Amino acid sequence: MTSAQQLLQSQRDQLLNWTCDHPTPLLRWLRDDEVLSPSSYLSLLEKSPSNAVAQALELACASEESSLRFLQVLREVQDYYCKDLHIWVDRHCRSNANRQPRSEMVIVEDKHKKPKGPMAKLFKKKNKGFSVAEEVKGKKNMKPTRSQMMANLKVQISAHKITLLKRMEELKCYSEGSREASNTASHIEIRYTDLFVTEDNDFIDSSQHEYFDLASRRARIYVHQSCQRISPSQLLSPQETTGQPPKRVKVKGIAGIGKSVAVQRLVYEWGIGKSMREFTCIFDLCFRELNLIEAPLSLLELLGERFRYLKDALPDLFTVPRSLLFILDGLDEFKFFLNWNSRDKNIGIESKMPVSELIVALIKGNLLPEASVILTTRPSTEAPKRFFQRCCVVLGFEENQVKEYTTKFYKDRQVAEKVYDYISNNDNIFVLSFIPLYCHIICMAMAEFFSSATQDVGDFKSLELNPPRTVSEVYFCYLFTAVKHHALRGSAEKSTSRSEVLSQAKKQLTNLGKLAYENLLQKKIMFSREDLESYGVTPAKIQGTFLCQILHPLKEETVGMFSFFHLTVQEHLGALYCAINLFSQEDITQALNLWCFGLDPPTTSSTLLKNIELNMDMLESLQMFTRFFMGLLRARLERQLDGLVETSMEEENGVPTSLGLWFQDQFKHRKMENETALNLLHCLMEFHKKETTTIAAPEIKKLNLFKMKLSIVDCAAMHYVLKFSPHTLQELNLGYSNIGNRGLNRLKPILHRCETLYLRYNSLDWQAAILESAVLKSNECQVKKLFMCGNNLGPEGVNELWTALEHNTTVEEIYLDITGITEKGTQNIVNCLGKNTSLRILTIVGNDIGKVGRERVRELEKLRPDLRIISNFVDDLGLLQAYLDWVEEIRVDRDQMDSVKNVDALQSVLKGLQEVGENVEKGQNADKAMELHIKIEELLK
């Protein structure tokens, strides 16, 4: 009998011919079956298809065992390839398969999960080497016509998977255009870096990396649990509460955080047969494309047009809707109004309606309620939680992922190490790199400076002396790198000055900027060839110039459209256009009034500001654009845009002072709270002019960012502005903003100047307590009230605080409810607070300090009769009422009640009430305590 090795060697050319058109499924299954090592697999993905298959065959033929595994894999992936391979597999692989135990990767699932129907069985059991006819024979009462339908569906779904894989295997939103500048590969298996995705309990919001969370959200009390990382393929895993997979899932995150890439990976894994196998078919729909649909249509027509090769199969697929998954990507880019309060009614797949109504019906479950839906969106776009059984948030990268991404970005490991060292040693850049898109753009921009083949000593010295400090600087560095490498490839040498480079690209950049700005105001992000040509952009020239890194064609069968490779790139170019066209001080301040507050300019000479109507939703979407404008305006004032614009220094001299007075006026007459305040702080940081910030910052007396989900970048903006104020800050409210230890550390230099400091529920731990202790020990400390409730400080952390308070003479009130204080955390409370002379109120409710801890508290009370210690929930009527208000808020707000961590917090409060029990004297406090006890028990039921 012919051995497996001999068979593969003799049939090498034939197998190569059948599989080289699209080797990805074959290579991936060979890796998972350990025929290929992980490193060999990644190496083969970078080779041409024919070379990749040839080398895979060569590696498989190294032993009889690996040859048998190769044949086994061919059986598994035959549906991705031609009929000739099917016949060959049927002839050669059955006998060989008996010698080798079958892979259990798919069979295990069938053993534990009963298929939902004949169609599910058909697709799930393709690995068993059956023919369609044999499978159908085993079914009772199945008509031949049904059998034929199943066979046809199998062919069409296989074609669908191949089409999806070809689209999904490249990270198209991270495309390099011509790869000469970045020297990278962009196959999803090579470049993809795990993202931090976690369930959104409405406290952990777009957390560590939330650049601008505009949603107005209610706060959450929670006990301390670490965020649970989940992979994209687990988005539809069974829920703990019901044991059933959710039907509707929302995935949110800020611009550039990786939402689209996460679902792209999910579709790729389904297409290659490695996850989500409970679904017969996945339909991926992008809101950018849905924007093109003006006329009413049915879901059947929409999918038939989008997936033409599936048109005949759709009616049969819809007979089993629970086996279908819809992925709706980028709701924030949808231009049509969504009426979430529309009357519920059952809608069929042939019902015609506007595309906006179709989407709402699909999400709400009025259309195909048994089908599954995953929606991605920015936090600023409303998609009510009540329609979703699971809400997740993409948090971007952590430190390890930044390093991993940098390593994967550059083929040259030495270059990768140099770039990562540079990023990690420049705090402003490192902060930005936690957002994947910024990390990508940073790597693109740094390629020019660090590539061993292109590095210029002068360029590197310039970068070393003037590293990018802000988002706009990083983006402009990226843009300039692209222009220098691509648009000017034939005419620009390394010695060409910046102004000359920009001058040669002026016409293209101006046209692009005008396209970006005017359409940004209309929320238009997709452009036809006619649109581009009307702005002087020639579609045919895109691939040969730097435009290939700016504009991307949609590689779809049905549309010939273009878009900027990311919305932030459109925002940046639109801001550049404004920065080189707004000159007078009056026009600049009127522009800010318009973009920040929607105030129409009474008179203006600039066409950029005329006939523009902005509603509140538009203002929210212009925040990043406005920040970019401020950064690029500074670049113009510092002559970095010379070549694009010509102005005299005399004309520009008064702009920083004029802007300082404008910001001063905003801080003086507007409440400094929430997204408005945060956006103004970011604008000042992007402008980065000491003269301007020195004028504006002293007007900030109070800063209220309560319930805003803040990132370390937001903390950097706060620190930058507030460091220019010589005054004490009366109040800094960062409660429920989830800044974490890293964010608090960024704010450390200004914390000592805050009279009232709210740090409640901020994912802080004992390290944050050590940092805050250092603030309290400072001779310059002006803190009078400190709120650190709901942070897991633990015994180590609070002991540090007690030590810091021993000699502190400013703190009068400190609130440490639910901070994880144990008996150990009271060890030095008597010794330290007994010597303190300023403290008047201490609250430590919701902590299990034990019998010894309670004795120590009583000892302290005797030693310090002037110090009011609230150690249980019934000690203070105001505290009881506050918790009653919170419980009532949860009761009426379904979203809050669905929060698992709220349940844990309620149980913590209930335990505290039970510990006090009947020892409470009758009276108003006892009545309130009983009322709180009853209401919590009702909620927990």
Side-chain angles (χ1 to χ4, degrees), residues 19 23-31 53 70 73-74 77 81:
T19 58
T24 299
L26 174 64
L27 297 177
R28 171 63 183 272
W29 282 71
L30 287 173
R31 188 205 73 173
V53 177
F70 189 99
V73 165
L74 274 181
V77 301
Y81 300 103

Side-chain angles (χ1 to χ4, degrees), residues 870-884:
I870 304 172
S871 58
N872 64 63
F873 288 98
V874 297
D875 283 349
D876 186 81
L877 191 60
L879 185 68
L880 281 168
Q881 188 58 54
Y883 276 96
L884 277 168

Side-chain angles (χ1 to χ4, degrees), residues 167-202:
R167 280 203 291 120
M168 297 297 169
E169 66 187 19
E170 295 235 344
L171 287 173
K172 56 187 177 183
C173 67
Y174 290 170
S175 171
E176 318 300 344
S178 171
R179 297 181 183 175
E180 293 178 26
S182 56
N183 192 29
T184 64
S186 58
H187 191 286
I188 193 168
E189 295 267 25
I190 298 171
R191 175 67 61 76
Y192 182 81
T193 302
D194 278 339
L195 294 161
F196 195 167
V197 183
T198 187
E199 288 210 47
D200 174 21
N201 61 20
D202 239 12

Side-chain angles (χ1 to χ4, degrees), residues 731-746:
E731 182 180 298
L732 177 60
N733 191 344
L734 304 178
Y736 300 89
S737 61
N738 204 38
I739 58 174
N741 290 353
R742 191 180 288 114
L744 187 68
N745 191 58
R746 186 77 183 194

Side-chain angles (χ1 to χ4, degrees), residues 299-346:
L299 182 64
L300 205 58
E301 290 171 328
L302 170 63
L303 298 178
E305 186 66 19
R306 174 66 178 79
F307 307 99
R308 291 184 175 182
Y309 49 85
L310 284 177
K311 191 169 186 177
D312 295 336
L314 290 174
D316 294 327
L317 286 171
F318 281 126
T319 61
V320 190
R322 65 176 176 270
S323 68
L324 305 178
L325 170 61
F326 291 84
I327 293 179
L328 309 175
D329 186 31
L331 178 64
D332 49 281
E333 299 179 343
F334 199 37
K335 71 177 183 180
F336 299 112
F337 172 74
L338 296 173
N339 182 9
W340 297 108
N341 298 317
S342 59
R343 185 168 58 88
D344 290 347
K345 56 182 179 181
N346 292 326

